[in-house]
Amino acid sequence: MMRKTIEGSFAVAEVVRDCVPDLVACFPITPSTHIAEELDRMYTDGQIKSYTAVESEFSAISMLVGGSAAGGRVFTTTDAQGLFLMHEVLFAASGMRLPMVIVNANRAVSAPLNIWNDQQDSISERDAGWIQIYCKNNQEAVDAVPQAFKISEDTLLPVMVCMDGFYLTHIVEQIDVPQKELIMKYLPAKRNAQYKLDTQNPISMGMYAMPKDYQGFRDDLHLDILKAKENVKKEMEAWGAVSGRRYGNGLWEEINAEDADILFVAMGSIIENAELAVDKMRAKGKKVGIVRIRCYRPFPAEVAKAFVGKKKIVVFEKALGFGASPPLYTDVSNAVREAGLKTKVYSIAGGLGGKDVTVEHIMEMLARVKKEKEPFQIVWGD
Amino acid sequence: MLEIRLHGRGGQGAVTGGELLSKSAGAEGKWSQAFPKFGVERRGAPVESYCRISDERVRLHQELYEPDVVVILDPSLMDTVDVLAGLKKGGIVLMNTKLGPTEACGKKGRCFKFHTVDATAVAMEKLGKPIVNTAMMGALVKVTGIVKLETLVKEVEEHFGEKLGKSNAEAVKACYAQVK
């Protein structure tokens, strides 16, 4: 145990360093800035091999593509407009099957300009072909980074670790930061790339695909992302064995769910507020529980097992699906339908652009869902 | 759980003050969170930072609305910021001022426990600068007893390094002794 009092961002930077990246390239953007700054300082102090302060996020992700294609372990951090500037290359990275890790410090997107937390940024990249993992606290963020490298390198799929901006990145608290010795028991010290750019053994990557071939590549990518669910589960077990910490089965986590009538379903740091709300409501005899989606892509439709026999589910999310239902609600509803369940699914979007969602708010949400017979779709607090 | 709100001006070290307190709690095996008011900070503008200290791991991920303790690093904030907003009944107010607790309290503050210390004078004497965060944390430890003085002193010395660590530790101890 190496519990210390440290800012979430700095703890993440320490773990990235101790995963021994070959290449780090960042363009700082609030609220991910402290991670980038700390890695920059570590490079200056000779603690990591490489750090490039690039001139844009487009360049950051492009450097990662090059570094990963050359067989390296590569990392960057960003959020919001920064992630969006990477948009085109995110698809190239997954299509070229290049392992890499982004820590995304979830932030609202423009316009209006807003630097505070929601999850519209990474949610809007859900179809980029990346694995996405949402952390509920800083402890999980530092535990997720080594897993992300391992999953990424084993599956040849890029991984995005999502941590809520400010709510996690800017909190100074006690974190058991995994030390290098521990990480090296879990993660190979060097990436072992089966295919890489090598002048002694030249290959081409990211080639042209004619209509007869293109669809097959895309379908393969889709099927492999679905298969990656097994890797996410396996690595939760493996990391748990090394660190002693596990977060559900890696794909989702059930908290007080078994005997609950109403389930609160969400992602990210709001989960721990929900835990406190559920504790308070259970003390008054209310049968409420939580199912946390940890892995958003690939989406674990098997989570429907946790919904069997439940009367109602309320999906809370910090993103909208403009012109349609909110994204997480849509996935959860689909899982319920595919499993043939009759559970009613309610939708609440909220916490957008840093609008605070408190323990009391979650208690009010659950009370309202209990009261209303027919499912609704609302934005909380407006 | 004890929830503390620090009011200062950008550059006075309200954020660092909260962090030092959070680290001291961590060093004593307690659980804590320190965080700034999320946003953009400017030198001289009113700023807030927060600290939660508990015997259990703090799972709250929300802003702090109803503090048990309010610390005012700059008395001029009294005219522009509602520093007592949300303070729990019977809560503690610790203010940096030359005035005594009864004079500083005024009508609005009567339902709270008021403490004052001339941290600016202490900071000028020990540091040669009106940066009062460490001095005020010394006074805070005295009036709340939330961590031991020696724990805070050790964290301050570690944080500021050899030269500044010593003078800041002296400011901590002086305000610990002087707070009324």
Side-chain angles (χ1 to χ4, degrees):
Chain A
M1 267 272 283
M2 288 295 294
R3 199 171 102 189
K4 59 178 173 181
T5 308
I6 183 171
E7 188 182 289
S9 292
F10 295 150
V12 166
E14 287 189 3
V15 171
V16 170
R17 174 195 64 198
D18 293 339
C19 288
V20 201
D22 296 296
L23 183 148
V24 178
C26 303
F27 185 85
I29 175 167
T30 302
S32 70
T33 307
H34 290 180
I35 303 172
E37 282 178 352
E38 187 66 359
L39 287 165
D40 194 351
R41 188 196 63 75
M42 286 168 171
Y43 173 62
T44 310
D45 291 351
Q47 296 178 20
I48 55 173
K49 276 183 256 180
S50 130
Y51 180 93
T52 308
V54 286
E55 92 297 346
S56 78
E57 290 86 351
F58 187 90
S59 295
I61 191 74
S62 299
M63 275 194 78
L64 262 59
V65 164
S68 185
R73 180 172 291 161
V74 299
F75 176 85
T76 190
T77 182
T78 190
D79 55 75
Q81 307 314 116
L83 186 65
F84 285 3
L85 195 52
M86 294 180 178
H87 179 73
E88 177 190 336
V89 190
L90 295 178
F91 285 72
S94 60
M96 289 167 72
R97 305 303 299 267
L98 296 174
M100 59 181 66
V101 174
I102 290 183
V103 167
N104 186 67
N106 285 103
R107 164 184 153 175
V109 300
S110 291
L113 176 63
N114 178 296
I115 60 166
W116 290 270
N117 167 249
D118 67 35
Q119 296 173 343
Q120 192 74 55
D121 54 356
S122 51
I123 296 285
S124 300
E125 299 296 353
R126 66 168 192 191
D127 296 331
W130 284 57
I131 293 170
Q132 288 194 2
I133 290 166
Y134 288 77
C135 302
K136 69 172 181 178
N137 56 38
N138 279 323
Q139 185 61 60
E140 184 177 359
V142 297
D143 286 328
V145 169
Q147 293 178 54
F149 279 114
K150 184 72 164 57
I151 293 164
S152 184
E153 291 170 16
D154 286 352
T155 59
L156 303 183
L157 292 165
V159 178
M160 198 179 293
V161 174
C162 300
M163 61 189 294
D164 283 321
F166 292 110
Y167 286 113
L168 297 185
T169 54
H170 283 55
I171 305 292
V172 176
E173 63 180 345
Q174 288 72 41
I175 304 170
D176 185 352
V177 185
Q179 300 296 289
K180 187 172 176 183
E181 199 179 83
L182 186 90
I183 294 170
M184 289 298 117
K185 281 184 195 160
Y186 169 79
L187 184 70
K190 260 192 99 53
R191 182 183 147 205
N192 181 19
Q194 203 180 342
Y195 306 100
K196 62 180 175 183
L197 296 181
D198 178 357
T199 50
Q200 298 305 308
N201 182 22
I203 58 166
S204 292
M205 289 186 178
M207 297 296 287
Y208 201 69
M210 298 295 280
K212 77 174 177 57
D213 299 319
Y214 178 85
Q215 183 170 298
F217 278 107
R218 302 305 280 173
D219 190 30
D220 279 351
L221 176 61
H222 170 60
L223 294 173
D224 282 353
I225 294 173
L226 285 173
K227 266 196 256 169
K229 286 181 204 175
E230 292 309 313
N231 296 73
V232 174
K233 276 159 72 173
K234 191 178 95 190
E235 294 313 325
M236 181 53 78
E237 265 313 303
W239 177 252
V242 171
S243 70
R245 288 181 297 272
R246 289 176 179 82
Y247 303 90
N249 63 6
L251 298 171
W252 74 86
E253 183 180 4
E254 298 172 32
I255 303 148
N256 278 320
E258 208 174 330
D259 67 337
D261 293 329
I262 302 177
L263 288 175
F264 184 86
V265 178
M267 304 196 293
S269 65
I270 196 70
I271 289 297
E272 292 207 302
N273 283 3
E275 286 178 20
L276 292 162
V278 163
D279 286 352
K280 284 188 179 186
M281 292 176 80
R282 286 220 161 226
K284 290 181 189 161
K286 307 254 195 294
K287 284 193 172 176
V288 288
I290 301 163
V291 170
R292 162 166 83 112
I293 304 298
R294 179 174 182 270
C295 184
Y296 175 62
R297 284 294 178 271
F299 187 78
E302 305 86 333
V303 71
K305 280 186 279 189
F307 304 150
V308 174
K310 306 303 175 197
K311 289 177 188 151
K312 296 174 179 180
I313 297 169
V314 54
V315 181
F316 174 84
E317 58 202 295
K318 293 182 176 181
L320 289 172
F322 296 96
S325 299
L328 183 61
Y329 162 81
T330 306
D331 288 331
V332 171
S333 295
N334 208 30
V336 166
R337 187 184 53 77
E338 284 173 354
L341 302 177
K342 298 280 177 258
T343 310
K344 288 179 179 172
V345 189
Y346 296 65
S347 168
I348 304 180
L352 303 184
K355 198 175 184 95
D356 212 21
V357 180
T358 65
V359 173
E360 281 68 30
H361 290 151
I362 295 168
M363 291 168 70
E364 286 168 30
M365 288 176 199
L366 285 164
R368 182 158 165 199
V369 168
K370 185 177 166 49
K371 203 176 72 185
E372 294 206 22
K373 274 200 178 137
E374 288 312 310
F376 54 70
Q377 287 188 27
I378 57 167
V379 175
W380 187 259
D382 277 304
Chain B
M1 182 168 62
L2 191 78
E3 295 190 297
I4 302 161
R5 185 174 69 216
L6 291 92
H7 290 273
R9 288 187 182 276
Q12 286 180 328
V15 175
T16 305
E19 286 181 19
L20 288 167
L21 203 60
S22 179
K23 285 183 175 172
S24 302
E28 291 190 0
K30 294 189 172 81
W31 295 88
S32 63
Q33 286 182 339
F35 54 103
K37 189 179 178 74
F38 304 149
V40 187
E41 284 162 20
R42 289 153 297 147
R43 193 158 281 264
V47 297
E48 287 175 27
S49 79
Y50 313 94
C51 187
R52 296 185 170 114
I53 299 177
S54 173
D55 293 330
E56 289 168 22
R57 197 173 78 77
V58 183
R59 285 184 289 172
L60 277 173
H61 300 290
Q62 64 185 54
E63 290 169 38
L64 198 158
Y65 298 97
E66 293 180 343
D68 302 284
V69 183
V70 164
V71 181
I72 303 150
L73 300 186
D74 188 323
S76 75
L77 290 168
M78 293 298 282
D79 304 328
T80 53
V81 179
D82 185 6
V83 292
L84 302 179
L87 179 60
K88 287 200 188 94
K89 233 181 190 170
I92 295 172
V93 181
L94 171 64
M95 195 191 294
N96 168 25
T97 171
K98 288 184 197 313
L99 304 174
T102 327
E103 300 157 271
C105 155
K107 262 189 203 164
K108 269 202 298 187
R110 272 181 205 158
C111 53
F112 306 114
K113 291 176 200 135
F114 251 76
H115 297 277
T116 61
V117 65
D118 192 354
T120 304
V122 169
M124 288 307 289
E125 187 200 326
K126 306 292 184 193
L127 312 173
K129 282 183 206 158
I131 297 178
V132 297
N133 57 347
T134 49
M136 289 297 281
M137 289 306 103
L140 180 70
V141 165
K142 178 69 181 286
V143 300
T144 61
I146 191 70
V147 294
K148 293 191 191 84
L149 174 65
E150 53 264 36
T151 312
L152 176 64
V153 166
K154 197 166 161 258
E155 289 301 325
V156 166
E157 284 172 346
E158 264 175 37
H159 179 85
F160 289 97
E162 204 171 316
K163 201 175 147 210
L164 281 173
K166 204 164 168 244
S167 50
N168 274 286
E170 279 178 24
V172 167
K173 287 183 220 165
C175 277
Y176 182 89
Q178 288 176 27
V179 65
K180 285 177 259 185

